Structures are given as C-alpha cells and as structure tokens.
Amino acid sequence: MHSTSPAGPDHDAAPGPRGTWRFPATFWFANFAELFERAAFYGMFISLQLYLVGEVGFTDVSAGAVSACFSFLLYLMPAFLGPLADKIGFRAALILAFALLTGGYALLGALQIKTTVVVALALVVLGGAIVKPVISGTAAKCSDEFNRARAFSIFYFMVNIGSFSGKTFAPFIRQGFDLPGFGHFELGIRYVNFYAAAMAFIALIIVVIAYRNPDTAGVGRSFSEVFDSFVRVLCNGRFMCLIVIVAGFWTIQGQLYAAMPAYIIRLVGEQARPEWLANINPFVVVTCVVFVTHLVRNVKPENSIAISLAIIPFSALSMALAPILQRATGNSIDILGFAMHPITVMAIFGIAAQGLGECFLSPKFMEYASKQAPKGEEGLYLGFQNLHSSIAWFVAFVLSGFLLDRYCPDPNKLKEIDPAAYAQWQDAIAGNGAMPEAYASAHYLWYVYAGIGVVSLLALLLFKYVTAKLDRRAAAAAGAEGR
C-alpha cells in the first residue's frame, strides 16, 4: 500500500537501525491507536448478539443474519478500501476511520432501533475496513527487511492486548460494578457500545495529535485494479477450494462470538462472563504459537493445517459433552477453590482447543496458500486470503441464529409462548430443578459444528490427494513436451 498525501513524508518515519527494536514514533503511535481500536471492537463484538436480541428486539435468526453481513463485509472490505488510504494519505484515512468508528459505536448504543443499528454497524464496517490496511501498512513502511518481523510481532502483540482488554472490561459494563467509595454502578449492555466509542475516540485523538504520514513514495493500486484482482482470485478453483475448506475451522472459532455468549448465559445465568471465556483463545495463541511454530517448522504446511482441522472438532465436541459432566457433578464443580458450572468447565477446554488448533493453522496457512497461487501472483492471492474469514463468519452467524432458536431459545421468547416453561427456566438458573424441555437438547448445536470440523478435515485430505495427482500429471506432461 502506498500513499500520495500532499502533506509529504514524515522525516521521523524512516526504519530503525538494523537488528534492533527501535522504530520511528509514528510506528508506536499507530500501534497504540490499534490497541484502543481492538479494545473497542472486541468489547462490542463479544456483546453484539446479546445486544441485538436482548435490547434491540431482533430474533436469534435475524440477529444472526445482521451479524453475518456485518462480519462478512468487515473482513472483505479492507482489500477494497486500501486504495482510499493511498489516495488521501494514511493520516487522513485514519482520522476518517476513527471518526466513523466513534460515531458508529455511539449510534449503536444510543438508539435501539433496528434500522439505526444497521446504519451504525455499516459505519463500523467502513471505519474498521480502513483501519486494518493502514495500520499494517504503517508497520511495513516503518520497518525494513531486517526488522519487519519484529515490527509485525509488536503489531500482533498490540492487537491481542487490545482484544484481551476489550473482552475483559465488557462484562463489568454489562453486569455493573462496584467502585470503592462511590458504590455500585448499574450500567447495562448498551453501555458496552459507549465504551467502544470512547476507545475509538481515544485512538482518534492519538492520530490527530501524534501520527504523521510515513514515507509514502510510490503509487498505489486503483479501485479497478483491486476489483480485477478479486475476480481473478474468485476464478481460481484450486485457491477457492482451499479457502472454503479452511473456512470450516474459522466457522467453529466464530462461535466464540456467534453462539457461545448466548448459550452460556441462557444455560448458566446472567452472572456468567462469556467474555472472559473468549479470552482463553488469544491467551493460548500468544503463549503457545512460538513453541508450536518451532515444533512444526519442518512439517509440510498441508500436514500442519490437517492437524489444526483434526483438533477443531474436539473444541465443539467438548461443549457438546457438558451435560454428561453436569449429570455426574451437578451444577457446580470446585476447581482450585473456584466454583464453576460444568458448562463453563467444558467451554474452557473447548476454547483452549481452538487456540491450540489456531497455532498449527495460522503460521502455515499463508505458506500453503501461496503454493496454490499461479507463479508470480503469490502476493496478489495472499492479499485476499482473508476471504476464508469472510465466508466463515457469515456462515457462523447465520447458522448459529437458526441453531440457537431451535435448541437454546431466547428466554424472552419462551416467556411469551410458554410462561410455565419460562418459570421453570428461572428456577433452573437459580439452581432449583432441571431446565425445561426447550433446553433439553441445547448441546446438539455443538454436534453440528463438530460435524463441520470433521467434514473440513476430510475435504482437506481429498484436496491434497486430487491436487497432488493433478500436479504429477502436469509435471509428466511437461516432461513429455521437453523430450
């Protein structure tokens, strides 16, 4: 990505000395802005389904559709909005992006009107899609071949710190909190959006005050060139097959935000904190990815991906088996002095499995994907490798909406159609008796995702077999022509 800002390059934006961790000031300010942006996004995103259903009035199915479109566009649009930053300059692009995010989050919390919420989410999509390429582009331009890996490791660290902190604070805002000397503050889930707006506004202030355009010599791609590239990628059957196969992994991981929060709260109670459970995933990735990457350094990329696809079904299966543990232990298990619900315990194991699988997948996927691209076009194809996330998150939210509605319905819906069952649900949440029949098969939704994981693994094995056979046939034909 390049910028042609008339403001000119920042004299302080040259890469730091070789082999050091020193980077120009612009690099650090960009990363701190990214930290606040990620805290805003993940704080809102982990609560989005709960907010759409509980406050705005969407059903599980319609909320799933709205979140699906939001997620799909959020991962797809950065490739198309990158040229905007090239045209107006990185600094102006970030100011625009964070202004859109601040306004979008604030509007999302201010008005619980369905149409307004959709508009607010559209603003968040536009802002987020601009931020993604600009911050990563800043990291690239403020480093060189000798310290670029370190630059992106800092960027990745900031992303995870932001993600972790956003999801850590979200339950205190949603449930209320005690402040010594001031008493109890009862806020509510809508205020999570105002928290996100505040985080985005802080990022905006950082950019306005401290961010300067990095060295932006060069010419970026036009919108038409990006679109033409996108069409070429879509027409590559081999690459798209790989994208769809790997999307199975991310569809299951997407349940951290799509199904898991509602599932936990509806079966454990409002006191549960699914936001903290979701933090297990980045914790496992950050602590294990270096070790796992070293472990599989000599393993073929496709075999490492196969390991991740073999692990991910156990993530969903762990959640599905929670009722067995619950029948054996009751509604509380003492673990190191902490009383946990059996569903929470199995969620911990399942989410940890997701993180471990990601460690095997992420470092190797780009390497394997680049091999599927035509020679000389590896960079072009990797620019659209986030297609798997767009597809996965769309499927994850749409499917979760239907599955929650069928197997783990919104208690407010139950209250309308069967008051007696709703009363029984209230008693069960309070620890007095069993769940009503409407929730007897709630765990079935996780069997669906376990099945998706198994199908993805089998599809990858078939993909490997077919592509290897085609490659051998092509090599033999090329050899025959050479003779």
Side-chain angles (χ1 to χ4, degrees), residues 53-387:
V53 174
E55 296 289 323
V56 183
F58 285 100
T59 65
D60 281 323
V61 174
S62 58
V66 170
S67 298
C69 293
F70 169 74
S71 305
F72 177 80
L73 293 173
L74 190 67
Y75 280 97
L76 182 64
M77 292 305 293
F80 294 94
L81 291 184
L84 175 64
D86 294 329
K87 291 182 180 297
I88 68 176
F90 280 16
R91 183 173 183 271
L94 284 178
I95 290 174
L96 173 62
F98 287 124
L100 288 170
L101 288 171
T102 301
Y105 289 133
L107 182 62
L108 187 62
L111 297 173
Q112 287 75 50
I113 303 171
K114 293 178 181 178
T115 304
T116 306
V117 164
V118 171
V119 172
L121 291 175
L123 294 177
V124 174
V125 166
L126 291 174
I130 295 171
V131 167
K132 285 178 181 290
V134 174
I135 298 295
S136 59
T138 299
K141 288 194 172 293
C142 290
S143 60
D144 56 27
E145 60 181 306
F146 296 98
N147 60 5
R148 186 151 297 147
R150 294 183 178 185
F152 277 98
S153 69
I154 293 171
F155 167 75
Y156 184 68
F157 179 78
M158 290 294 195
V159 166
N160 279 277
I161 292 297
S163 167
F164 195 92
S165 60
K167 287 178 285 191
T168 297
F169 288 117
F172 291 111
I173 300 170
R174 176 174 60 83
Q175 298 172 337
F177 59 92
D178 293 315
L179 192 63
F182 293 91
H184 183 76
F185 286 82
E186 190 68 39
L187 298 176
I189 194 169
R190 64 180 294 198
Y191 286 88
V192 174
N193 301 305
F194 295 134
Y195 160 79
M199 295 297 100
F201 184 71
I202 292 173
L204 174 62
I205 296 301
I206 292 173
V207 171
V208 169
I209 294 177
Y211 184 91
R212 297 294 179 267
N213 279 320
D215 181 11
T216 55
V219 179
R221 292 193 297 167
S222 67
F223 289 102
S224 62
E225 288 174 328
V226 173
F227 182 78
D228 290 342
S229 299
F230 180 64
V231 173
R232 287 163 61 191
V233 168
L234 291 180
C235 292
N236 185 313
R238 178 180 291 202
F239 185 77
M240 289 307 300
C241 282
L242 179 62
I243 289 291
V244 171
I245 290 169
V246 174
F249 178 96
W250 299 108
T251 297
I252 298 174
Q253 193 186 72
Q255 299 316 307
L256 284 177
Y257 303 92
M260 188 272 290
Y263 181 85
I264 293 292
I265 288 177
R266 291 174 187 179
L267 296 182
V268 177
E270 284 290 338
Q271 78 282 0
R273 291 177 175 173
E275 300 93 338
W276 288 11
L277 294 177
N279 268 338
I280 295 170
N281 181 275
F283 176 80
V284 170
V285 172
V286 169
T287 55
C288 296
V289 69
V290 174
F291 170 75
V292 171
T293 301
H294 179 75
L295 184 68
V296 299
R297 65 191 184 281
N298 296 322
V299 175
K300 291 182 178 180
E302 56 266 40
N303 292 335
S304 183
I305 295 172
I307 292 172
S308 72
L309 293 179
I311 291 174
I312 197 65
F314 290 99
S315 169
L317 191 60
S318 175
M319 297 285 288
L321 296 179
I324 297 176
L325 180 62
Q326 189 172 4
R327 284 194 292 269
T329 64
N331 288 338
S332 181
I333 302 175
D334 186 271
I335 298 179
L336 300 177
F338 293 95
M340 294 186 183
H341 196 284
I343 291 176
T344 301
V345 173
M346 298 306 288
I348 291 172
F349 284 110
I351 296 169
Q354 286 183 10
L356 182 61
E358 186 176 343
C359 292
F360 283 94
L361 175 64
S362 293
K364 291 288 190 175
F365 173 74
M366 292 184 68
E367 180 183 348
Y368 191 43
S370 67
K371 293 181 179 180
Q372 311 308 312
K375 190 170 181 61
E377 296 188 352
E378 293 85 357
L380 164 65
Y381 279 76
L382 290 178
F384 289 99
Q385 58 94 14
N386 274 338
L387 276 172

Side-chain angles (χ1 to χ4, degrees), residues 426-440:
Q426 288 183 306
D427 289 339
I429 287 295
N432 303 317
M435 281 283 179
E437 184 64 26
Y439 298 92

Side-chain angles (χ1 to χ4, degrees), residues 414-436:
L414 194 66
K415 184 178 182 179
E416 295 176 1
I417 62 176
D418 192 346
Y422 178 76
Q424 185 181 350
W425 172 82
Q426 288 183 306
D427 289 339
I429 287 295
N432 303 317
M435 281 283 179

